[in-house]
mmCIF file of all heavy atoms in Angstrom:
data_model
loop_
_atom_site.group_PDB
_atom_site.id
_atom_site.type_symbol
_atom_site.label_atom_id
_atom_site.label_comp_id
_atom_site.label_asym_id
_atom_site.label_seq_id
_atom_site.Cartn_x
_atom_site.Cartn_y
_atom_site.Cartn_z
ATOM 1 N N THR A 1231 0.797 -1.231 0.000
ATOM 2 C CA THR A 1231 0.000 0.000 0.000
ATOM 3 C C THR A 1231 0.827 1.277 0.000
ATOM 4 O O THR A 1231 0.255 2.361 -0.025
ATOM 5 C CB THR A 1231 -0.948 0.030 1.213
ATOM 6 O OG1 THR A 1231 -0.183 0.156 2.419
ATOM 7 C CG2 THR A 1231 -1.792 -1.231 1.270
ATOM 8 N N ARG A 1232 2.119 1.156 0.040
ATOM 9 C CA ARG A 1232 2.964 2.340 0.107
ATOM 10 C C ARG A 1232 3.830 2.449 -1.142
ATOM 11 O O ARG A 1232 4.042 1.474 -1.856
ATOM 12 C CB ARG A 1232 3.874 2.259 1.347
ATOM 13 C CG ARG A 1232 3.124 2.055 2.642
ATOM 14 C CD ARG A 1232 2.387 3.309 3.071
ATOM 15 N NE ARG A 1232 3.317 4.368 3.397
ATOM 16 C CZ ARG A 1232 3.949 4.467 4.575
ATOM 17 N NH1 ARG A 1232 3.736 3.568 5.523
ATOM 18 N NH2 ARG A 1232 4.777 5.451 4.814
ATOM 19 N N VAL A 1233 4.308 3.653 -1.389
ATOM 20 C CA VAL A 1233 5.314 3.876 -2.425
ATOM 21 C C VAL A 1233 6.544 4.415 -1.709
ATOM 22 O O VAL A 1233 6.598 5.585 -1.328
ATOM 23 C CB VAL A 1233 4.836 4.864 -3.502
ATOM 24 C CG1 VAL A 1233 5.941 5.080 -4.531
ATOM 25 C CG2 VAL A 1233 3.573 4.353 -4.183
ATOM 26 N N LEU A 1234 7.518 3.547 -1.498
ATOM 27 C CA LEU A 1234 8.701 3.897 -0.724
ATOM 28 C C LEU A 1234 9.882 4.184 -1.636
ATOM 29 O O LEU A 1234 9.917 3.738 -2.785
ATOM 30 C CB LEU A 1234 9.053 2.747 0.222
ATOM 31 C CG LEU A 1234 7.984 2.404 1.262
ATOM 32 C CD1 LEU A 1234 8.351 1.118 1.984
ATOM 33 C CD2 LEU A 1234 7.818 3.542 2.259
ATOM 34 N N PRO A 1235 10.867 4.920 -1.142
ATOM 35 C CA PRO A 1235 12.087 5.125 -1.926
ATOM 36 C C PRO A 1235 12.701 3.783 -2.315
ATOM 37 O O PRO A 1235 12.693 2.845 -1.508
ATOM 38 C CB PRO A 1235 12.998 5.907 -0.966
ATOM 39 C CG PRO A 1235 12.067 6.577 -0.009
ATOM 40 C CD PRO A 1235 10.919 5.639 0.151
ATOM 41 N N PRO A 1236 13.226 3.665 -3.532
ATOM 42 C CA PRO A 1236 13.783 2.373 -3.977
ATOM 43 C C PRO A 1236 14.816 1.788 -3.030
ATOM 44 O O PRO A 1236 14.915 0.561 -2.891
ATOM 45 C CB PRO A 1236 14.402 2.721 -5.338
ATOM 46 C CG PRO A 1236 13.598 3.885 -5.825
ATOM 47 C CD PRO A 1236 13.262 4.684 -4.590
ATOM 48 N N ARG A 1237 15.581 2.648 -2.346
ATOM 49 C CA ARG A 1237 16.628 2.136 -1.457
ATOM 50 C C ARG A 1237 16.066 1.471 -0.207
ATOM 51 O O ARG A 1237 16.795 0.754 0.503
ATOM 52 C CB ARG A 1237 17.560 3.282 -1.045
ATOM 53 C CG ARG A 1237 18.455 3.778 -2.182
ATOM 54 C CD ARG A 1237 19.370 4.891 -1.719
ATOM 55 N NE ARG A 1237 18.629 6.072 -1.305
ATOM 56 C CZ ARG A 1237 19.174 7.175 -0.811
ATOM 57 N NH1 ARG A 1237 20.483 7.241 -0.661
ATOM 58 N NH2 ARG A 1237 18.432 8.209 -0.460
ATOM 59 N N VAL A 1238 14.774 1.685 0.084
ATOM 60 C CA VAL A 1238 14.172 1.077 1.278
ATOM 61 C C VAL A 1238 13.769 -0.377 1.016
ATOM 62 O O VAL A 1238 13.801 -1.209 1.922
ATOM 63 C CB VAL A 1238 12.941 1.903 1.723
ATOM 64 C CG1 VAL A 1238 12.185 1.195 2.852
ATOM 65 C CG2 VAL A 1238 13.378 3.293 2.181
ATOM 66 N N ILE A 1239 13.406 -0.702 -0.218
ATOM 67 C CA ILE A 1239 12.830 -2.012 -0.530
ATOM 68 C C ILE A 1239 13.775 -3.167 -0.187
ATOM 69 O O ILE A 1239 13.331 -4.178 0.373
ATOM 70 C CB ILE A 1239 12.384 -2.064 -1.999
ATOM 71 C CG1 ILE A 1239 11.312 -0.995 -2.237
ATOM 72 C CG2 ILE A 1239 11.830 -3.442 -2.351
ATOM 73 C CD1 ILE A 1239 10.893 -0.845 -3.680
ATOM 74 N N PRO A 1240 15.082 -3.083 -0.479
ATOM 75 C CA PRO A 1240 15.957 -4.205 -0.089
ATOM 76 C C PRO A 1240 15.951 -4.489 1.410
ATOM 77 O O PRO A 1240 16.088 -5.650 1.824
ATOM 78 C CB PRO A 1240 17.341 -3.749 -0.558
ATOM 79 C CG PRO A 1240 17.062 -2.794 -1.681
ATOM 80 C CD PRO A 1240 15.809 -2.080 -1.271
ATOM 81 N N TYR A 1241 15.792 -3.462 2.235
ATOM 82 C CA TYR A 1241 15.734 -3.680 3.678
ATOM 83 C C TYR A 1241 14.480 -4.470 4.050
ATOM 84 O O TYR A 1241 14.524 -5.356 4.910
ATOM 85 C CB TYR A 1241 15.740 -2.338 4.424
ATOM 86 C CG TYR A 1241 17.029 -1.582 4.329
ATOM 87 C CD1 TYR A 1241 17.169 -0.519 3.444
ATOM 88 C CD2 TYR A 1241 18.126 -1.915 5.124
ATOM 89 C CE1 TYR A 1241 18.360 0.187 3.344
ATOM 90 C CE2 TYR A 1241 19.329 -1.215 5.038
ATOM 91 C CZ TYR A 1241 19.437 -0.163 4.144
ATOM 92 O OH TYR A 1241 20.608 0.537 4.044
ATOM 93 N N ILE A 1242 13.353 -4.144 3.412
ATOM 94 C CA ILE A 1242 12.110 -4.859 3.706
ATOM 95 C C ILE A 1242 12.242 -6.324 3.320
ATOM 96 O O ILE A 1242 11.895 -7.223 4.095
ATOM 97 C CB ILE A 1242 10.932 -4.210 2.951
ATOM 98 C CG1 ILE A 1242 10.733 -2.765 3.421
ATOM 99 C CG2 ILE A 1242 9.658 -5.014 3.145
ATOM 100 C CD1 ILE A 1242 9.692 -1.999 2.633
ATOM 101 N N VAL A 1243 12.745 -6.581 2.122
ATOM 102 C CA VAL A 1243 12.900 -7.959 1.655
ATOM 103 C C VAL A 1243 13.859 -8.719 2.566
ATOM 104 O O VAL A 1243 13.620 -9.884 2.919
ATOM 105 C CB VAL A 1243 13.389 -7.980 0.194
ATOM 106 C CG1 VAL A 1243 13.754 -9.397 -0.245
ATOM 107 C CG2 VAL A 1243 12.311 -7.412 -0.729
ATOM 108 N N ASP A 1244 14.933 -8.082 2.977
ATOM 109 C CA ASP A 1244 15.909 -8.744 3.841
ATOM 110 C C ASP A 1244 15.298 -9.073 5.204
ATOM 111 O O ASP A 1244 15.544 -10.156 5.757
ATOM 112 C CB ASP A 1244 17.137 -7.856 4.016
ATOM 113 C CG ASP A 1244 18.256 -8.566 4.761
ATOM 114 O OD1 ASP A 1244 18.874 -9.467 4.174
ATOM 115 O OD2 ASP A 1244 18.502 -8.219 5.941
ATOM 116 N N LEU A 1245 14.498 -8.155 5.753
ATOM 117 C CA LEU A 1245 13.844 -8.421 7.033
ATOM 118 C C LEU A 1245 12.878 -9.589 6.926
ATOM 119 O O LEU A 1245 12.816 -10.453 7.806
ATOM 120 C CB LEU A 1245 13.096 -7.169 7.510
ATOM 121 C CG LEU A 1245 13.934 -6.061 8.147
ATOM 122 C CD1 LEU A 1245 13.057 -4.849 8.430
ATOM 123 C CD2 LEU A 1245 14.593 -6.550 9.433
ATOM 124 N N LEU A 1246 12.116 -9.632 5.842
ATOM 125 C CA LEU A 1246 11.181 -10.742 5.642
ATOM 126 C C LEU A 1246 11.939 -12.062 5.517
ATOM 127 O O LEU A 1246 11.502 -13.092 6.044
ATOM 128 C CB LEU A 1246 10.329 -10.506 4.398
ATOM 129 C CG LEU A 1246 9.334 -9.348 4.474
ATOM 130 C CD1 LEU A 1246 8.672 -9.134 3.117
ATOM 131 C CD2 LEU A 1246 8.283 -9.610 5.537
ATOM 132 N N GLY A 1247 13.061 -12.029 4.836
ATOM 133 C CA GLY A 1247 13.858 -13.241 4.661
ATOM 134 C C GLY A 1247 14.534 -13.694 5.931
ATOM 135 O O GLY A 1247 14.937 -14.859 6.045
ATOM 136 N N ALA A 1248 14.667 -12.804 6.911
ATOM 137 C CA ALA A 1248 15.327 -13.152 8.172
ATOM 138 C C ALA A 1248 14.390 -13.857 9.141
ATOM 139 O O ALA A 1248 14.830 -14.361 10.173
ATOM 140 C CB ALA A 1248 15.890 -11.898 8.835
ATOM 141 N N ASP A 1249 13.095 -13.896 8.810
ATOM 142 C CA ASP A 1249 12.131 -14.540 9.702
ATOM 143 C C ASP A 1249 12.429 -16.026 9.827
ATOM 144 O O ASP A 1249 12.615 -16.728 8.831
ATOM 145 C CB ASP A 1249 10.708 -14.346 9.155
ATOM 146 C CG ASP A 1249 9.666 -15.053 10.004
ATOM 147 O OD1 ASP A 1249 9.631 -14.787 11.213
ATOM 148 O OD2 ASP A 1249 8.900 -15.861 9.444
ATOM 149 N N GLU A 1250 12.476 -16.510 11.055
ATOM 150 C CA GLU A 1250 12.759 -17.920 11.322
ATOM 151 C C GLU A 1250 11.445 -18.649 11.580
ATOM 152 O O GLU A 1250 10.911 -18.639 12.690
ATOM 153 C CB GLU A 1250 13.689 -18.054 12.529
ATOM 154 C CG GLU A 1250 15.051 -17.401 12.325
ATOM 155 C CD GLU A 1250 15.917 -17.480 13.562
ATOM 156 O OE1 GLU A 1250 15.429 -17.987 14.592
ATOM 157 O OE2 GLU A 1250 17.071 -17.020 13.499
ATOM 158 N N CYS A 1251 10.897 -19.264 10.527
ATOM 159 C CA CYS A 1251 9.620 -19.958 10.680
ATOM 160 C C CYS A 1251 9.852 -21.425 11.046
ATOM 161 O O CYS A 1251 10.904 -21.996 10.754
ATOM 162 C CB CYS A 1251 8.797 -19.863 9.397
ATOM 163 S SG CYS A 1251 9.582 -20.625 7.961
ATOM 164 N N ASP A 1252 8.852 -22.005 11.694
ATOM 165 C CA ASP A 1252 8.936 -23.420 12.050
ATOM 166 C C ASP A 1252 8.889 -24.272 10.794
ATOM 167 O O ASP A 1252 8.351 -23.870 9.761
ATOM 168 C CB ASP A 1252 7.786 -23.805 12.975
ATOM 169 C CG ASP A 1252 7.861 -23.090 14.318
ATOM 170 O OD1 ASP A 1252 8.992 -22.740 14.715
ATOM 171 O OD2 ASP A 1252 6.811 -22.858 14.930
ATOM 172 N N SER A 1253 9.458 -25.463 10.884
ATOM 173 C CA SER A 1253 9.447 -26.388 9.757
ATOM 174 C C SER A 1253 8.010 -26.674 9.331
ATOM 175 O O SER A 1253 7.141 -26.941 10.163
ATOM 176 C CB SER A 1253 10.151 -27.688 10.153
ATOM 177 O OG SER A 1253 10.098 -28.617 9.093
ATOM 178 N N GLY A 1254 7.764 -26.589 8.039
ATOM 179 C CA GLY A 1254 6.428 -26.844 7.517
ATOM 180 C C GLY A 1254 5.566 -25.607 7.405
ATOM 181 O O GLY A 1254 4.516 -25.631 6.754
ATOM 182 N N LYS A 1255 5.968 -24.505 8.051
ATOM 183 C CA LYS A 1255 5.202 -23.268 7.959
ATOM 184 C C LYS A 1255 5.735 -22.407 6.824
ATOM 185 O O LYS A 1255 6.922 -22.416 6.518
ATOM 186 C CB LYS A 1255 5.278 -22.487 9.277
ATOM 187 C CG LYS A 1255 4.531 -23.126 10.428
ATOM 188 C CD LYS A 1255 4.590 -22.264 11.672
ATOM 189 C CE LYS A 1255 3.862 -20.938 11.481
ATOM 190 N NZ LYS A 1255 3.828 -20.148 12.728
ATOM 191 N N GLU A 1256 4.852 -21.652 6.214
ATOM 192 C CA GLU A 1256 5.241 -20.771 5.124
ATOM 193 C C GLU A 1256 6.057 -19.609 5.667
ATOM 194 O O GLU A 1256 5.683 -18.990 6.666
ATOM 195 C CB GLU A 1256 3.983 -20.261 4.410
ATOM 196 C CG GLU A 1256 4.244 -19.503 3.138
ATOM 197 C CD GLU A 1256 2.962 -19.231 2.379
ATOM 198 O OE1 GLU A 1256 2.303 -18.214 2.679
ATOM 199 O OE2 GLU A 1256 2.608 -20.046 1.514
ATOM 200 N N SER A 1257 7.155 -19.290 5.012
ATOM 201 C CA SER A 1257 8.006 -18.198 5.479
ATOM 202 C C SER A 1257 7.295 -16.860 5.306
ATOM 203 O O SER A 1257 6.405 -16.701 4.466
ATOM 204 C CB SER A 1257 9.327 -18.184 4.708
ATOM 205 O OG SER A 1257 9.123 -17.786 3.360
ATOM 206 N N LEU A 1258 7.697 -15.905 6.124
ATOM 207 C CA LEU A 1258 7.109 -14.568 6.037
ATOM 208 C C LEU A 1258 7.422 -13.926 4.689
ATOM 209 O O LEU A 1258 6.601 -13.196 4.125
ATOM 210 C CB LEU A 1258 7.645 -13.696 7.180
ATOM 211 C CG LEU A 1258 6.916 -12.369 7.439
ATOM 212 C CD1 LEU A 1258 5.445 -12.608 7.729
ATOM 213 C CD2 LEU A 1258 7.571 -11.636 8.599
ATOM 214 N N LEU A 1259 8.601 -14.221 4.143
ATOM 215 C CA LEU A 1259 8.962 -13.685 2.835
ATOM 216 C C LEU A 1259 8.043 -14.249 1.753
ATOM 217 O O LEU A 1259 7.541 -13.504 0.898
ATOM 218 C CB LEU A 1259 10.418 -14.005 2.508
ATOM 219 C CG LEU A 1259 10.918 -13.559 1.124
ATOM 220 C CD1 LEU A 1259 10.748 -12.061 0.935
ATOM 221 C CD2 LEU A 1259 12.377 -13.964 0.929
ATOM 222 N N LEU A 1260 7.800 -15.540 1.776
ATOM 223 C CA LEU A 1260 6.913 -16.140 0.780
ATOM 224 C C LEU A 1260 5.498 -15.605 0.929
ATOM 225 O O LEU A 1260 4.825 -15.316 -0.066
ATOM 226 C CB LEU A 1260 6.924 -17.665 0.907
ATOM 227 C CG LEU A 1260 6.014 -18.423 -0.070
ATOM 228 C CD1 LEU A 1260 6.342 -18.070 -1.517
ATOM 229 C CD2 LEU A 1260 6.139 -19.930 0.145
ATOM 230 N N ARG A 1261 5.046 -15.449 2.167
ATOM 231 C CA ARG A 1261 3.710 -14.906 2.389
ATOM 232 C C ARG A 1261 3.608 -13.489 1.828
ATOM 233 O O ARG A 1261 2.627 -13.125 1.177
ATOM 234 C CB ARG A 1261 3.397 -14.895 3.886
ATOM 235 C CG ARG A 1261 1.939 -14.627 4.218
ATOM 236 C CD ARG A 1261 1.739 -14.496 5.712
ATOM 237 N NE ARG A 1261 2.439 -15.546 6.446
ATOM 238 C CZ ARG A 1261 2.609 -15.523 7.763
ATOM 239 N NH1 ARG A 1261 2.158 -14.500 8.473
ATOM 240 N NH2 ARG A 1261 3.246 -16.506 8.365
ATOM 241 N N GLY A 1262 4.645 -12.684 2.081
ATOM 242 C CA GLY A 1262 4.638 -11.326 1.542
ATOM 243 C C GLY A 1262 4.654 -11.307 0.032
ATOM 244 O O GLY A 1262 3.957 -10.516 -0.613
ATOM 245 N N MET A 1263 5.447 -12.206 -0.566
ATOM 246 C CA MET A 1263 5.522 -12.250 -2.023
ATOM 247 C C MET A 1263 4.220 -12.743 -2.643
ATOM 248 O O MET A 1263 3.841 -12.304 -3.730
ATOM 249 C CB MET A 1263 6.679 -13.136 -2.463
ATOM 250 C CG MET A 1263 8.056 -12.526 -2.244
ATOM 251 S SD MET A 1263 8.253 -10.904 -3.057
ATOM 252 C CE MET A 1263 8.149 -9.816 -1.614
ATOM 253 N N ARG A 1264 3.505 -13.623 -1.956
ATOM 254 C CA ARG A 1264 2.199 -14.046 -2.475
ATOM 255 C C ARG A 1264 1.256 -12.844 -2.580
ATOM 256 O O ARG A 1264 0.492 -12.706 -3.538
ATOM 257 C CB ARG A 1264 1.589 -15.115 -1.567
ATOM 258 C CG ARG A 1264 2.235 -16.476 -1.694
ATOM 259 C CD ARG A 1264 1.360 -17.547 -1.052
ATOM 260 N NE ARG A 1264 2.061 -18.806 -0.929
ATOM 261 C CZ ARG A 1264 2.264 -19.657 -1.925
ATOM 262 N NH1 ARG A 1264 1.814 -19.373 -3.140
ATOM 263 N NH2 ARG A 1264 2.908 -20.794 -1.720
ATOM 264 N N GLY A 1265 1.301 -11.985 -1.566
ATOM 265 C CA GLY A 1265 0.473 -10.783 -1.608
ATOM 266 C C GLY A 1265 0.869 -9.856 -2.738
ATOM 267 O O GLY A 1265 0.012 -9.286 -3.428
ATOM 268 N N VAL A 1266 2.176 -9.694 -2.934
ATOM 269 C CA VAL A 1266 2.659 -8.844 -4.021
ATOM 270 C C VAL A 1266 2.238 -9.417 -5.371
ATOM 271 O O VAL A 1266 1.755 -8.689 -6.252
ATOM 272 C CB VAL A 1266 4.190 -8.695 -3.952
ATOM 273 C CG1 VAL A 1266 4.719 -7.974 -5.191
ATOM 274 C CG2 VAL A 1266 4.596 -7.937 -2.690
ATOM 275 N N VAL A 1267 2.397 -10.714 -5.541
ATOM 276 C CA VAL A 1267 2.021 -11.360 -6.804
ATOM 277 C C VAL A 1267 0.528 -11.204 -7.064
ATOM 278 O O VAL A 1267 0.104 -10.904 -8.188
ATOM 279 C CB VAL A 1267 2.409 -12.855 -6.786
ATOM 280 C CG1 VAL A 1267 1.812 -13.595 -7.968
ATOM 281 C CG2 VAL A 1267 3.928 -12.994 -6.796
ATOM 282 N N ALA A 1268 -0.288 -11.404 -6.022
ATOM 283 C CA ALA A 1268 -1.737 -11.303 -6.186
ATOM 284 C C ALA A 1268 -2.147 -9.919 -6.676
ATOM 285 O O ALA A 1268 -3.102 -9.778 -7.450
ATOM 286 C CB ALA A 1268 -2.436 -11.630 -4.870
ATOM 287 N N THR A 1269 -1.434 -8.890 -6.230
ATOM 288 C CA THR A 1269 -1.746 -7.529 -6.676
ATOM 289 C C THR A 1269 -1.132 -7.228 -8.031
ATOM 290 O O THR A 1269 -1.786 -6.691 -8.932
ATOM 291 C CB THR A 1269 -1.240 -6.506 -5.640
ATOM 292 O OG1 THR A 1269 -1.880 -6.754 -4.385
ATOM 293 C CG2 THR A 1269 -1.537 -5.081 -6.086
ATOM 294 N N TRP A 1270 0.138 -7.587 -8.197
ATOM 295 C CA TRP A 1270 0.884 -7.240 -9.420
ATOM 296 C C TRP A 1270 0.274 -7.861 -10.660
ATOM 297 O O TRP A 1270 0.362 -7.293 -11.749
ATOM 298 C CB TRP A 1270 2.334 -7.701 -9.262
ATOM 299 C CG TRP A 1270 3.261 -7.256 -10.345
ATOM 300 C CD1 TRP A 1270 3.924 -6.045 -10.416
ATOM 301 C CD2 TRP A 1270 3.637 -7.985 -11.505
ATOM 302 N NE1 TRP A 1270 4.692 -5.998 -11.548
ATOM 303 C CE2 TRP A 1270 4.536 -7.163 -12.245
ATOM 304 C CE3 TRP A 1270 3.321 -9.243 -12.001
ATOM 305 C CZ2 TRP A 1270 5.116 -7.562 -13.445
ATOM 306 C CZ3 TRP A 1270 3.888 -9.654 -13.206
ATOM 307 C CH2 TRP A 1270 4.769 -8.833 -13.917
ATOM 308 N N THR A 1271 -0.354 -9.009 -10.537
ATOM 309 C CA THR A 1271 -0.845 -9.738 -11.695
ATOM 310 C C THR A 1271 -2.243 -9.327 -12.145
ATOM 311 O O THR A 1271 -2.714 -9.792 -13.184
ATOM 312 C CB THR A 1271 -0.863 -11.250 -11.404
ATOM 313 O OG1 THR A 1271 -1.643 -11.498 -10.223
ATOM 314 C CG2 THR A 1271 0.539 -11.788 -11.192
ATOM 315 N N THR A 1272 -2.928 -8.465 -11.411
ATOM 316 C CA THR A 1272 -4.297 -8.109 -11.768
ATOM 317 C C THR A 1272 -4.332 -7.044 -12.860
ATOM 318 O O THR A 1272 -3.503 -6.131 -12.895
ATOM 319 C CB THR A 1272 -5.086 -7.596 -10.557
ATOM 320 O OG1 THR A 1272 -4.477 -6.393 -10.072
ATOM 321 C CG2 THR A 1272 -5.104 -8.629 -9.444
ATOM 322 N N SER A 1273 -5.303 -7.155 -13.739
ATOM 323 C CA SER A 1273 -5.451 -6.164 -14.809
ATOM 324 C C SER A 1273 -5.806 -4.797 -14.233
ATOM 325 O O SER A 1273 -5.417 -3.769 -14.783
ATOM 326 C CB SER A 1273 -6.526 -6.620 -15.797
ATOM 327 O OG SER A 1273 -7.763 -6.844 -15.135
ATOM 328 N N GLY A 1274 -6.532 -4.781 -13.116
ATOM 329 C CA GLY A 1274 -6.878 -3.506 -12.494
ATOM 330 C C GLY A 1274 -5.654 -2.756 -12.011
ATOM 331 O O GLY A 1274 -5.557 -1.532 -12.171
ATOM 332 N N HIS A 1275 -4.709 -3.470 -11.407
ATOM 333 C CA HIS A 1275 -3.468 -2.823 -10.961
ATOM 334 C C HIS A 1275 -2.695 -2.269 -12.151
ATOM 335 O O HIS A 1275 -2.232 -1.127 -12.120
ATOM 336 C CB HIS A 1275 -2.605 -3.837 -10.204
ATOM 337 C CG HIS A 1275 -1.221 -3.359 -9.919
ATOM 338 N ND1 HIS A 1275 -0.929 -2.452 -8.929
ATOM 339 C CD2 HIS A 1275 -0.029 -3.664 -10.517
ATOM 340 C CE1 HIS A 1275 0.371 -2.207 -8.923
ATOM 341 N NE2 HIS A 1275 0.937 -2.932 -9.860
ATOM 342 N N VAL A 1276 -2.588 -3.056 -13.211
ATOM 343 C CA VAL A 1276 -1.832 -2.627 -14.394
ATOM 344 C C VAL A 1276 -2.491 -1.422 -15.050
ATOM 345 O O VAL A 1276 -1.813 -0.503 -15.520
ATOM 346 C CB VAL A 1276 -1.716 -3.792 -15.396
ATOM 347 C CG1 VAL A 1276 -1.048 -3.332 -16.689
ATOM 348 C CG2 VAL A 1276 -0.913 -4.937 -14.782
ATOM 349 N N ALA A 1277 -3.808 -1.384 -15.054
ATOM 350 C CA ALA A 1277 -4.519 -0.316 -15.754
ATOM 351 C C ALA A 1277 -4.653 0.963 -14.930
ATOM 352 O O ALA A 1277 -4.631 2.068 -15.489
ATOM 353 C CB ALA A 1277 -5.912 -0.799 -16.166
ATOM 354 N N ARG A 1278 -4.768 0.824 -13.595
ATOM 355 C CA ARG A 1278 -5.143 1.996 -12.804
ATOM 356 C C ARG A 1278 -4.108 2.450 -11.775
ATOM 357 O O ARG A 1278 -4.142 3.605 -11.342
ATOM 358 C CB ARG A 1278 -6.468 1.717 -12.081
ATOM 359 C CG ARG A 1278 -7.650 1.595 -13.040
ATOM 360 C CD ARG A 1278 -8.965 1.523 -12.285
ATOM 361 N NE ARG A 1278 -9.098 0.265 -11.560
ATOM 362 C CZ ARG A 1278 -9.591 -0.840 -12.094
ATOM 363 N NH1 ARG A 1278 -9.973 -0.845 -13.360
ATOM 364 N NH2 ARG A 1278 -9.696 -1.945 -11.381
#
C-alpha cells in the first residue's frame, strides 16, 4: 500500500527473509511475495 524510496525495498525484503519460521510453515517472505504477486498480476493494478 505504500510507495517507498527504492533504497528502502531491499531492507524490507531482507527483514522478511530473516524470519525464522517453524518447519512446515510458510516463510514470512513467501507470504509477503504471495500478496505482491496477487496484486501485481491483476489487470486492475496494471490499468489503474
Side-chain angles (χ1 to χ4, degrees):
T1231 68
R1232 305 287 294 279
V1233 179
L1234 298 171
R1237 289 181 296 177
V1238 173
I1239 299 174
Y1241 292 101
I1242 298 174
V1243 172
D1244 187 72
L1245 282 174
L1246 292 174
D1249 177 55
E1250 298 177 357
C1251 62
D1252 295 333
S1253 177
K1255 290 183 65 175
E1256 189 171 86
S1257 70
L1258 193 58
L1259 177 58
L1260 179 56
R1261 192 186 315 168
M1263 287 304 105
R1264 286 195 191 282
V1266 172
V1267 170
T1269 300
W1270 188 85
T1271 56
T1272 63
S1273 57
H1275 170 76
V1276 175
R1278 292 188 291 273

